[in-house]
DNA sequence: AGCACGCCGACT
DNA sequence: GTCGGCGTGCTC
């Protein structure tokens, strides 16, 4: 009698815990399959992880059923899910769910029905309140009512108390139903002429009906089968008319599965490989030679090349090499750069063989794309971080473009995985090669490359249509001097002059506003000094209610100073200029230049991105104002001036990666200028002209940045010299939250001593950077050490705690 | 999501 | 002593 170990979709079945079930005779199951299982009083979904002759638990119940709509998860993906579950401390079922087709819903709906025996209904001394009468009447009328509907009627709280009262008295029963597949394959009617009639037959078979004749002729004139939907649209005929033709046996009609293809109707001109530079050729050779090797360990390459150095061409030719060996590839790109241009670039090189996974596709399109990947209809899958989980068999190559991007880390909900780490793990299991590409690699990745864990491939030159266009010249503008000289405008004099010049010459300008983290820190307007935590070296966050400065890692607090502690200046200001104000000031300062704004407010609605971008590309506007969004994929030769309004706000985010982020963003913005033959100028307005992140970005010098950054990381033992884990407690009451966090910290410390672990710092508790979220307060503890994930895996956290391993951004 | 269990205060 | 509120943990 075989038994199945099942990962159940229940919140308390956290981490990798499984439950044992008996496989009833006649039920055919394999590991990786989705099943329904009895769990307490409910039926839940689960995934079979293992099948054994003996159960791991004595008292087993039977599996209820197999969920047929979903193909079993492959053994490799199952293994990957287990790794994600143990490393990121997420429930195994949630991790397996990452591998399921899009649109697979895992919701359980509750329904209310009357009990079978209805004699209790007539019981005389049952006193019911108004809500209960209402619920009972509704259920009597409808037979079966969804819990959601009752809740909509009388509110969640009242519905629950009324219903539980009724159930206790035996007047009502509750049942559950699982919605497992919200999306289904789409079918459509296809018609075809069954046989061709000659002139003489036409009249005898079709009769005198003109309409009938027109419909037949339309169908007969098309070569092969056509969809009924298109025929109906063209002829205006009804289904009854079609039926009369089918009945006469001269037209055949059948239901077929229709593929919802996101690339349908887009004609691409197939592109051929481009001529490579020496460095590109070398990189390609190295990658291709690793493809052939069937070694157990993975080969990870870091392809480090400045903007425009031709990384994509190396990806394309590496993929082509993998495909020619009968293998397949996955290309991960940050969501924001998954533009039509990117997709076209890949699909042009592999016509008809590229799958696109994208959150902007309809669920139906995602579903069909996924199914076709599973069937092996594609050689290359392009998509955001979740595309790493698509069922690509015979994986040979994984490309992660812009590997430093934080969008590769899933934040919410769990599992909070990093697609880069998952890809490396998957490659390790499949023997695939990984190529990490970036102009500004993350410090961790570059460190790995410098240690020889990854192989470093460098593309030093820019390959643009105008041979060897130098990187644009960057001018760092010291805003302290502007203030001293009496200019308190947003635009420095030099930027103002450059913009005016460009507009007069019929050239275009991009003004970039770094909005992230603005207005949370205190900065001296004279010397640019920003207060930082002495222990954690992250900037202190200003809290206006208490007029204090707080460190969000270790909870160090101080009263906000009235004068600058460094130079004594009383003008300590709070930054925060919106894109709207910048737009207004730009319109006023550079009239009659045409200004458009591109930020998350301006791009609400479908195709807004493409519309605004198109407008600017066609030179219907002279100045483009934007935030982070404009740093990606904009490639407009006519842009000759790029101004960064506040280059240093990013530096002051309370995040140990703030300098790295700033460097990356500035480098990317600087790459937006001078992509045409006229070259370009870039201006960084800043209060910190000497900061190494700004300096290195201005000099286009990654190594300079890295060499300094790695020293700071070592000094403060931040990654890559340690690993971090952030654990957050959230509660509606701030004091409860703080007390619980303090209690857990003590327990963690005791556990650390008990286990004799030396390399583990426990920082905090401190209020989380977003202290209040959706009405709940949040406090966090940060663990820093060699293996915080391993430490926490044997230390179950109670209710209300969430874990984030290797957190990115404002934790 | 329910149900059992256990702890604590108010009452017979 | 006993009833019942609710907070906590378990469901193979």
């Amino acid at each position: 009698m075989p038994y199945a170990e099942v990962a159940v979709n229940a919140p308390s079945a956290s981490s990798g815990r499984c439950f044992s079930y008996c496989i009833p005779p006649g039920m055919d199951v394999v590991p990786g399959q989705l099943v329904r299982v009895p769990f307490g009083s409910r039926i839940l979904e689960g995934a079979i992880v293992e099948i054994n002759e003996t159960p791991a638990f004595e008292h087993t119940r039977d599996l209820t059923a197999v969920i047929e709509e979903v193909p079993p998860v492959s053994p490799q993906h199952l293994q990957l899910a287990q790794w994600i579950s143990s490393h990121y401390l997420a429930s195994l079922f949630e991790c397996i769910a990452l591998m399921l087709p899009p649109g697979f819903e895992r919701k359980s709906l509750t329904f209310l029905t009357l009990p079978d025996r209805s004699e209790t209904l007539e019981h005389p001394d049952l006193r019911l309140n108004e809500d209960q009468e209402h619920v009972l009447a509704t259920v009597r009328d409808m037979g079966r009512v969804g819990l959601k509907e009752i809740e909509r009627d009388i509110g969640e709280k009242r519905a629950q108390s009324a219903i539980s009262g009724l159930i206790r008295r035996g007047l009502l029963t509750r049942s559950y139903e699982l919605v497992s597949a919200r999306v289904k394959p789409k079918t459509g009617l296809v018609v075809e002429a069954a046989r061709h009639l000659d002139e003489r037959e036409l009249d005898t078979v079709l009769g005198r009906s003109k309409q009938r004749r027109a419909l037949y002729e339309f169908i007969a004139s098309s070569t092969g089968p056509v969809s009924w939907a298109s025929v109906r649209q063209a002829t205006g005929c009804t289904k009854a008319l079609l039926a009369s033709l089918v009945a006469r046996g001269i037209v055949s009609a059948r239901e077929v599965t229709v593929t919802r293809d996101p690339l349908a109707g887009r004609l691409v001109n197939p592109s051929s490989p481009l001529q490579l530079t020496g460095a590109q050729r070398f990189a390609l050779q190295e990658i291709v030679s690793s493809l052939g090797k069937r070694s157990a360990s993975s080969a990870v390459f870091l392809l480090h090349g400045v903007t425009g150095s031709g990384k994509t061409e190396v990806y394309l030719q590496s993929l082509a090499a993998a495909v020619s060996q009968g293998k397949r590839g996955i290309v991960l790109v940050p969501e924001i750069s998954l533009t039509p241009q990117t997709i076209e670039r890949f699909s042009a090189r592999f016509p008809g063989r590229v799958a696109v996974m994208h959150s902007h596709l309809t669920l139906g399109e995602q579903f069909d794309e996924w199914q076709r990947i599973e069937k092996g209809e594609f050689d290359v899958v392009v998509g955001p971080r979740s595309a790493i989980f698509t069922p690509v068999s015979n994986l040979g190559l994984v490309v992660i473009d812009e590997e430093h991007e934080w969008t590769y880390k899933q934040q919410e909900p769990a599992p909070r995985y990093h697609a880069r780490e998952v890809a490396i793990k998957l490659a390790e299991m499949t023997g695939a090669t990984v190529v990490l590409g970036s102009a500004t690699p993350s410090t961790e990745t570059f460190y790995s490359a410098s240690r020889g864990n990854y192989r470093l491939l460098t593309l030093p030159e820019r390959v643009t249509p105008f041979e060897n266009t130098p990187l644009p010249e960057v001018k760092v503008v010291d805003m302290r001097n502007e203030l001293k000289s009496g200019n308190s405008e947003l635009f420095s004099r030099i930027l103002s002059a450059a913009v005016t010049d460009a507009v007069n010459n019929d050239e275009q300008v991009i003004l970039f506003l770094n909005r992230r983290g603005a207005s949370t820190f205190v900065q001296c307007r004279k010397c640019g000094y920003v207060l930082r935590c002495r222990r954690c070296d992250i900037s202190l966050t200003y809290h206006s209610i208490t007029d204090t400065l707080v460190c969000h890692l270790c909870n160090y607090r101080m009263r906000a100073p009235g004068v600058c502690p460094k130079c004594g200046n009383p003008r300590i200001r709070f930054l925060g200029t919106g894109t709207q104000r910048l737009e207004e000031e730009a319109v006023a300062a550079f009239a009659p230049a045409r200004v458009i704004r591109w930020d998350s407010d301006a791009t609400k609605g479908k195709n807004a991105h493409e519309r605004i971008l198109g407008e600017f590309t066609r030179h219907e506007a002279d100045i483009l104002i934007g935030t982070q969004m404009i740093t990606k994929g904009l490639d407009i030769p006519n842009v000759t001036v790029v101004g960064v309004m506040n280059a240093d706000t990013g530096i002051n985010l309370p995040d140990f990666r703030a300098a790295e982020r700033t460097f990356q963003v500035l480098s990317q913005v600087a790459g937006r200028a001078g992509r045409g033959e006229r070259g370009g100028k870039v201006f960084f307005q800043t209060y910190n002209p000497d900061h190494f992140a700004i300096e290195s970005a201005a000099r286009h010098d990654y190594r300079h940045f890295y060499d300094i950054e790695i020293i700071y990381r070592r000094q403060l033992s931040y990654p890559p010299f340690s690993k971090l884990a952030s654990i957050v407690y959230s509660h509606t009451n701030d004091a409860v939250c703080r007390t619980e966090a303090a209690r857990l910290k003590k327990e963690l410390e005791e556990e650390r001593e008990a286990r004799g672990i030396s390399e583990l710092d426990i920082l905090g508790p401190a209020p989380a950077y977003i202290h209040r979220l959706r009405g709940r307060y949040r406090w966090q503890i940060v663990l820093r050490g060699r293996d915080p994930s391993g430490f926490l895996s044997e230390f179950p956290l109670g209710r209300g705690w969430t874990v984030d391993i290797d957190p990115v951004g404002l934790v």
Side-chain angles (χ1 to χ4, degrees), chain A residues 566-591:
Chain A
K566 199 175 157 205
C567 72
N569 186 338
R571 287 186 75 178
I572 287 227
R573 70 159 181 170
F574 310 107
L575 290 180
T577 301
T579 42
Q580 266 174 30
R581 189 179 148 211
L582 178 57
E583 184 183 22
E584 285 158 23
E585 302 225 351
V587 168
F590 307 116

PDB file of all heavy atoms in Angstrom, chain A residues 566-591:
ATOM      1  N   LYS A 566      27.684  70.062  11.480  1.00  0.00           N
ATOM      2  CA  LYS A 566      29.022  70.161  10.891  1.00  0.00           C
ATOM      3  C   LYS A 566      29.443  71.616  10.703  1.00  0.00           C
ATOM      4  O   LYS A 566      30.532  72.011  11.106  1.00  0.00           O
ATOM      5  CB  LYS A 566      29.035  69.450   9.542  1.00  0.00           C
ATOM      6  CG  LYS A 566      30.435  69.084   9.074  1.00  0.00           C
ATOM      7  CD  LYS A 566      30.347  68.288   7.793  1.00  0.00           C
ATOM      8  CE  LYS A 566      31.646  68.383   7.009  1.00  0.00           C
ATOM      9  NZ  LYS A 566      31.395  68.162   5.589  1.00  0.00           N
ATOM     10  N   CYS A 567      28.540  72.435  10.122  1.00  0.00           N
ATOM     11  CA  CYS A 567      28.960  73.795   9.815  1.00  0.00           C
ATOM     12  C   CYS A 567      28.161  74.840  10.593  1.00  0.00           C
ATOM     13  O   CYS A 567      28.425  76.038  10.476  1.00  0.00           O
ATOM     14  CB  CYS A 567      28.869  74.063   8.306  1.00  0.00           C
ATOM     15  SG  CYS A 567      27.184  74.201   7.698  1.00  0.00           S
ATOM     16  N   GLY A 568      27.190  74.417  11.385  1.00  0.00           N
ATOM     17  CA  GLY A 568      26.465  75.365  12.216  1.00  0.00           C
ATOM     18  C   GLY A 568      25.389  76.158  11.507  1.00  0.00           C
ATOM     19  O   GLY A 568      24.718  77.000  12.104  1.00  0.00           O
ATOM     20  N   ASN A 569      25.188  75.889  10.231  1.00  0.00           N
ATOM     21  CA  ASN A 569      24.183  76.614   9.449  1.00  0.00           C
ATOM     22  C   ASN A 569      22.776  76.277   9.953  1.00  0.00           C
ATOM     23  O   ASN A 569      22.446  75.112  10.136  1.00  0.00           O
ATOM     24  CB  ASN A 569      24.331  76.193   7.980  1.00  0.00           C
ATOM     25  CG  ASN A 569      23.430  76.986   7.069  1.00  0.00           C
ATOM     26  OD1 ASN A 569      22.424  77.549   7.489  1.00  0.00           O
ATOM     27  ND2 ASN A 569      23.790  77.044   5.817  1.00  0.00           N
ATOM     28  N   PRO A 570      21.941  77.287  10.187  1.00  0.00           N
ATOM     29  CA  PRO A 570      20.579  76.992  10.632  1.00  0.00           C
ATOM     30  C   PRO A 570      19.664  76.506   9.504  1.00  0.00           C
ATOM     31  O   PRO A 570      18.554  76.044   9.774  1.00  0.00           O
ATOM     32  CB  PRO A 570      20.089  78.337  11.185  1.00  0.00           C
ATOM     33  CG  PRO A 570      20.903  79.360  10.489  1.00  0.00           C
ATOM     34  CD  PRO A 570      22.218  78.732  10.128  1.00  0.00           C
ATOM     35  N   ARG A 571      20.095  76.595   8.268  1.00  0.00           N
ATOM     36  CA  ARG A 571      19.205  76.186   7.168  1.00  0.00           C
ATOM     37  C   ARG A 571      19.343  74.699   6.898  1.00  0.00           C
ATOM     38  O   ARG A 571      20.102  74.251   6.052  1.00  0.00           O
ATOM     39  CB  ARG A 571      19.503  76.986   5.901  1.00  0.00           C
ATOM     40  CG  ARG A 571      19.005  78.413   6.007  1.00  0.00           C
ATOM     41  CD  ARG A 571      19.161  79.136   4.718  1.00  0.00           C
ATOM     42  NE  ARG A 571      18.156  78.730   3.740  1.00  0.00           N
ATOM     43  CZ  ARG A 571      18.077  79.268   2.529  1.00  0.00           C
ATOM     44  NH1 ARG A 571      18.933  80.200   2.147  1.00  0.00           N
ATOM     45  NH2 ARG A 571      17.146  78.883   1.703  1.00  0.00           N
ATOM     46  N   ILE A 572      18.626  73.939   7.695  1.00  0.00           N
ATOM     47  CA  ILE A 572      18.588  72.487   7.488  1.00  0.00           C
ATOM     48  C   ILE A 572      17.264  72.229   6.807  1.00  0.00           C
ATOM     49  O   ILE A 572      16.222  72.598   7.305  1.00  0.00           O
ATOM     50  CB  ILE A 572      18.675  71.768   8.851  1.00  0.00           C
ATOM     51  CG1 ILE A 572      20.085  71.876   9.373  1.00  0.00           C
ATOM     52  CG2 ILE A 572      18.182  70.359   8.746  1.00  0.00           C
ATOM     53  CD1 ILE A 572      20.675  70.587   9.881  1.00  0.00           C
ATOM     54  N   ARG A 573      17.300  71.637   5.636  1.00  0.00           N
ATOM     55  CA  ARG A 573      16.041  71.552   4.908  1.00  0.00           C
ATOM     56  C   ARG A 573      15.632  70.115   4.638  1.00  0.00           C
ATOM     57  O   ARG A 573      16.410  69.183   4.732  1.00  0.00           O
ATOM     58  CB  ARG A 573      16.156  72.288   3.584  1.00  0.00           C
ATOM     59  CG  ARG A 573      17.054  71.565   2.610  1.00  0.00           C
ATOM     60  CD  ARG A 573      16.728  72.014   1.223  1.00  0.00           C
ATOM     61  NE  ARG A 573      17.554  71.316   0.260  1.00  0.00           N
ATOM     62  CZ  ARG A 573      17.332  71.386  -1.026  1.00  0.00           C
ATOM     63  NH1 ARG A 573      16.364  72.134  -1.492  1.00  0.00           N
ATOM     64  NH2 ARG A 573      18.087  70.723  -1.862  1.00  0.00           N
ATOM     65  N   PHE A 574      14.369  69.981   4.300  1.00  0.00           N
ATOM     66  CA  PHE A 574      13.837  68.670   3.971  1.00  0.00           C
ATOM     67  C   PHE A 574      13.583  68.646   2.482  1.00  0.00           C
ATOM     68  O   PHE A 574      12.866  69.477   1.950  1.00  0.00           O
ATOM     69  CB  PHE A 574      12.556  68.423   4.763  1.00  0.00           C
ATOM     70  CG  PHE A 574      12.752  68.708   6.214  1.00  0.00           C
ATOM     71  CD1 PHE A 574      12.197  69.827   6.782  1.00  0.00           C
ATOM     72  CD2 PHE A 574      13.568  67.898   6.981  1.00  0.00           C
ATOM     73  CE1 PHE A 574      12.421  70.108   8.111  1.00  0.00           C
ATOM     74  CE2 PHE A 574      13.781  68.182   8.313  1.00  0.00           C
ATOM     75  CZ  PHE A 574      13.215  69.293   8.891  1.00  0.00           C
ATOM     76  N   LEU A 575      14.213  67.702   1.829  1.00  0.00           N
ATOM     77  CA  LEU A 575      14.100  67.651   0.377  1.00  0.00           C
ATOM     78  C   LEU A 575      12.735  67.123  -0.036  1.00  0.00           C
ATOM     79  O   LEU A 575      12.033  66.505   0.724  1.00  0.00           O
ATOM     80  CB  LEU A 575      15.178  66.744  -0.188  1.00  0.00           C
ATOM     81  CG  LEU A 575      16.581  67.321  -0.073  1.00  0.00           C
ATOM     82  CD1 LEU A 575      17.579  66.350  -0.655  1.00  0.00           C
ATOM     83  CD2 LEU A 575      16.670  68.655  -0.796  1.00  0.00           C
ATOM     84  N   GLY A 576      12.393  67.329  -1.256  1.00  0.00           N
ATOM     85  CA  GLY A 576      11.154  66.790  -1.759  1.00  0.00           C
ATOM     86  C   GLY A 576      10.526  67.685  -2.806  1.00  0.00           C
ATOM     87  O   GLY A 576       9.714  68.545  -2.507  1.00  0.00           O
ATOM     88  N   THR A 577      10.941  67.510  -4.025  1.00  0.00           N
ATOM     89  CA  THR A 577      10.342  68.230  -5.128  1.00  0.00           C
ATOM     90  C   THR A 577       9.661  67.204  -6.002  1.00  0.00           C
ATOM     91  O   THR A 577      10.264  66.199  -6.346  1.00  0.00           O
ATOM     92  CB  THR A 577      11.424  68.950  -5.960  1.00  0.00           C
ATOM     93  OG1 THR A 577      12.116  69.832  -5.106  1.00  0.00           O
ATOM     94  CG2 THR A 577      10.797  69.723  -7.098  1.00  0.00           C
ATOM     95  N   GLY A 578       8.416  67.437  -6.351  1.00  0.00           N
ATOM     96  CA  GLY A 578       7.693  66.493  -7.198  1.00  0.00           C
ATOM     97  C   GLY A 578       7.934  66.786  -8.660  1.00  0.00           C
ATOM     98  O   GLY A 578       8.426  67.852  -9.030  1.00  0.00           O
ATOM     99  N   THR A 579       7.551  65.812  -9.487  1.00  0.00           N
ATOM    100  CA  THR A 579       7.698  66.008 -10.927  1.00  0.00           C
ATOM    101  C   THR A 579       6.779  67.113 -11.433  1.00  0.00           C
ATOM    102  O   THR A 579       7.090  67.781 -12.401  1.00  0.00           O
ATOM    103  CB  THR A 579       7.375  64.710 -11.688  1.00  0.00           C
ATOM    104  OG1 THR A 579       6.232  64.113 -11.100  1.00  0.00           O
ATOM    105  CG2 THR A 579       8.527  63.757 -11.644  1.00  0.00           C
ATOM    106  N   GLN A 580       5.646  67.275 -10.724  1.00  0.00           N
ATOM    107  CA  GLN A 580       4.714  68.317 -11.170  1.00  0.00           C
ATOM    108  C   GLN A 580       5.322  69.708 -11.060  1.00  0.00           C
ATOM    109  O   GLN A 580       5.226  70.520 -11.968  1.00  0.00           O
ATOM    110  CB  GLN A 580       3.437  68.252 -10.343  1.00  0.00           C
ATOM    111  CG  GLN A 580       2.378  67.420 -11.028  1.00  0.00           C
ATOM    112  CD  GLN A 580       1.164  67.226 -10.162  1.00  0.00           C
ATOM    113  OE1 GLN A 580       0.834  68.076  -9.341  1.00  0.00           O
ATOM    114  NE2 GLN A 580       0.507  66.110 -10.339  1.00  0.00           N
ATOM    115  N   ARG A 581       5.963  69.950  -9.899  1.00  0.00           N
ATOM    116  CA  ARG A 581       6.570  71.261  -9.713  1.00  0.00           C
ATOM    117  C   ARG A 581       7.709  71.440 -10.720  1.00  0.00           C
ATOM    118  O   ARG A 581       7.876  72.519 -11.295  1.00  0.00           O
ATOM    119  CB  ARG A 581       7.108  71.395  -8.288  1.00  0.00           C
ATOM    120  CG  ARG A 581       7.549  72.809  -8.015  1.00  0.00           C
ATOM    121  CD  ARG A 581       8.059  73.047  -6.636  1.00  0.00           C
ATOM    122  NE  ARG A 581       9.076  74.078  -6.710  1.00  0.00           N
ATOM    123  CZ  ARG A 581      10.109  74.149  -5.889  1.00  0.00           C
ATOM    124  NH1 ARG A 581      10.265  73.254  -4.937  1.00  0.00           N
ATOM    125  NH2 ARG A 581      10.980  75.120  -6.025  1.00  0.00           N
ATOM    126  N   LEU A 582       8.463  70.373 -10.941  1.00  0.00           N
ATOM    127  CA  LEU A 582       9.561  70.454 -11.906  1.00  0.00           C
ATOM    128  C   LEU A 582       9.016  70.788 -13.291  1.00  0.00           C
ATOM    129  O   LEU A 582       9.577  71.611 -14.022  1.00  0.00           O
ATOM    130  CB  LEU A 582      10.320  69.118 -11.932  1.00  0.00           C
ATOM    131  CG  LEU A 582      11.474  68.999 -12.918  1.00  0.00           C
ATOM    132  CD1 LEU A 582      12.517  70.090 -12.698  1.00  0.00           C
ATOM    133  CD2 LEU A 582      12.133  67.623 -12.797  1.00  0.00           C
ATOM    134  N   GLU A 583       7.885  70.167 -13.630  1.00  0.00           N
ATOM    135  CA  GLU A 583       7.265  70.433 -14.927  1.00  0.00           C
ATOM    136  C   GLU A 583       6.873  71.906 -15.044  1.00  0.00           C
ATOM    137  O   GLU A 583       7.199  72.578 -16.031  1.00  0.00           O
ATOM    138  CB  GLU A 583       6.028  69.548 -15.098  1.00  0.00           C
ATOM    139  CG  GLU A 583       5.367  69.667 -16.457  1.00  0.00           C
ATOM    140  CD  GLU A 583       4.108  68.824 -16.571  1.00  0.00           C
ATOM    141  OE1 GLU A 583       3.525  68.494 -15.516  1.00  0.00           O
ATOM    142  OE2 GLU A 583       3.709  68.514 -17.697  1.00  0.00           O
ATOM    143  N   GLU A 584       6.224  72.416 -14.008  1.00  0.00           N
ATOM    144  CA  GLU A 584       5.797  73.817 -14.030  1.00  0.00           C
ATOM    145  C   GLU A 584       6.997  74.755 -14.203  1.00  0.00           C
ATOM    146  O   GLU A 584       6.971  75.682 -15.005  1.00  0.00           O
ATOM    147  CB  GLU A 584       5.076  74.178 -12.727  1.00  0.00           C
ATOM    148  CG  GLU A 584       3.667  73.618 -12.630  1.00  0.00           C
ATOM    149  CD  GLU A 584       3.186  73.526 -11.181  1.00  0.00           C
ATOM    150  OE1 GLU A 584       3.723  74.268 -10.326  1.00  0.00           O
ATOM    151  OE2 GLU A 584       2.284  72.705 -10.914  1.00  0.00           O
ATOM    152  N   GLU A 585       8.060  74.466 -13.421  1.00  0.00           N
ATOM    153  CA  GLU A 585       9.217  75.347 -13.484  1.00  0.00           C
ATOM    154  C   GLU A 585       9.933  75.247 -14.824  1.00  0.00           C
ATOM    155  O   GLU A 585      10.463  76.237 -15.322  1.00  0.00           O
ATOM    156  CB  GLU A 585      10.178  75.020 -12.336  1.00  0.00           C
ATOM    157  CG  GLU A 585       9.480  75.175 -10.995  1.00  0.00           C
ATOM    158  CD  GLU A 585      10.310  75.915  -9.959  1.00  0.00           C
ATOM    159  OE1 GLU A 585      11.500  76.162 -10.217  1.00  0.00           O
ATOM    160  OE2 GLU A 585       9.746  76.231  -8.899  1.00  0.00           O
ATOM    161  N   ALA A 586       9.937  74.047 -15.401  1.00  0.00           N
ATOM    162  CA  ALA A 586      10.586  73.879 -16.700  1.00  0.00           C
ATOM    163  C   ALA A 586       9.820  74.632 -17.781  1.00  0.00           C
ATOM    164  O   ALA A 586      10.416  75.285 -18.647  1.00  0.00           O
ATOM    165  CB  ALA A 586      10.683  72.399 -17.052  1.00  0.00           C
ATOM    166  N   VAL A 587       8.490  74.559 -17.713  1.00  0.00           N
ATOM    167  CA  VAL A 587       7.660  75.279 -18.686  1.00  0.00           C
ATOM    168  C   VAL A 587       7.958  76.773 -18.593  1.00  0.00           C
ATOM    169  O   VAL A 587       8.161  77.467 -19.600  1.00  0.00           O
ATOM    170  CB  VAL A 587       6.159  75.001 -18.439  1.00  0.00           C
ATOM    171  CG1 VAL A 587       5.289  75.952 -19.231  1.00  0.00           C
ATOM    172  CG2 VAL A 587       5.822  73.565 -18.808  1.00  0.00           C
ATOM    173  N   ALA A 588       8.025  77.265 -17.350  1.00  0.00           N
ATOM    174  CA  ALA A 588       8.277  78.696 -17.149  1.00  0.00           C
ATOM    175  C   ALA A 588       9.681  79.091 -17.593  1.00  0.00           C
ATOM    176  O   ALA A 588       9.870  80.121 -18.247  1.00  0.00           O
ATOM    177  CB  ALA A 588       8.071  79.037 -15.669  1.00  0.00           C
ATOM    178  N   ALA A 589      10.661  78.261 -17.276  1.00  0.00           N
ATOM    179  CA  ALA A 589      12.050  78.650 -17.532  1.00  0.00           C
ATOM    180  C   ALA A 589      12.448  78.516 -18.998  1.00  0.00           C
ATOM    181  O   ALA A 589      13.296  79.265 -19.478  1.00  0.00           O
ATOM    182  CB  ALA A 589      12.982  77.816 -16.657  1.00  0.00           C
ATOM    183  N   PHE A 590      11.873  77.531 -19.710  1.00  0.00           N
ATOM    184  CA  PHE A 590      12.370  77.260 -21.061  1.00  0.00           C
ATOM    185  C   PHE A 590      11.328  77.505 -22.152  1.00  0.00           C
ATOM    186  O   PHE A 590      11.426  76.938 -23.241  1.00  0.00           O
ATOM    187  CB  PHE A 590      12.904  75.829 -21.156  1.00  0.00           C
ATOM    188  CG  PHE A 590      13.922  75.514 -20.093  1.00  0.00           C
ATOM    189  CD1 PHE A 590      13.667  74.538 -19.132  1.00  0.00           C
ATOM    190  CD2 PHE A 590      15.121  76.214 -20.030  1.00  0.00           C
ATOM    191  CE1 PHE A 590      14.592  74.258 -18.150  1.00  0.00           C
ATOM    192  CE2 PHE A 590      16.060  75.933 -19.039  1.00  0.00           C
ATOM    193  CZ  PHE A 590      15.793  74.957 -18.094  1.00  0.00           C
ATOM    194  N   ALA A 591      10.306  78.311 -21.873  1.00  0.00           N
ATOM    195  CA  ALA A 591       9.304  78.625 -22.882  1.00  0.00           C
ATOM    196  C   ALA A 591      10.019  79.143 -24.127  1.00  0.00           C
ATOM    197  O   ALA A 591      11.017  79.856 -23.997  1.00  0.00           O
ATOM    198  CB  ALA A 591       8.334  79.662 -22.345  1.00  0.00           C
TER     199      ALA A 591
END
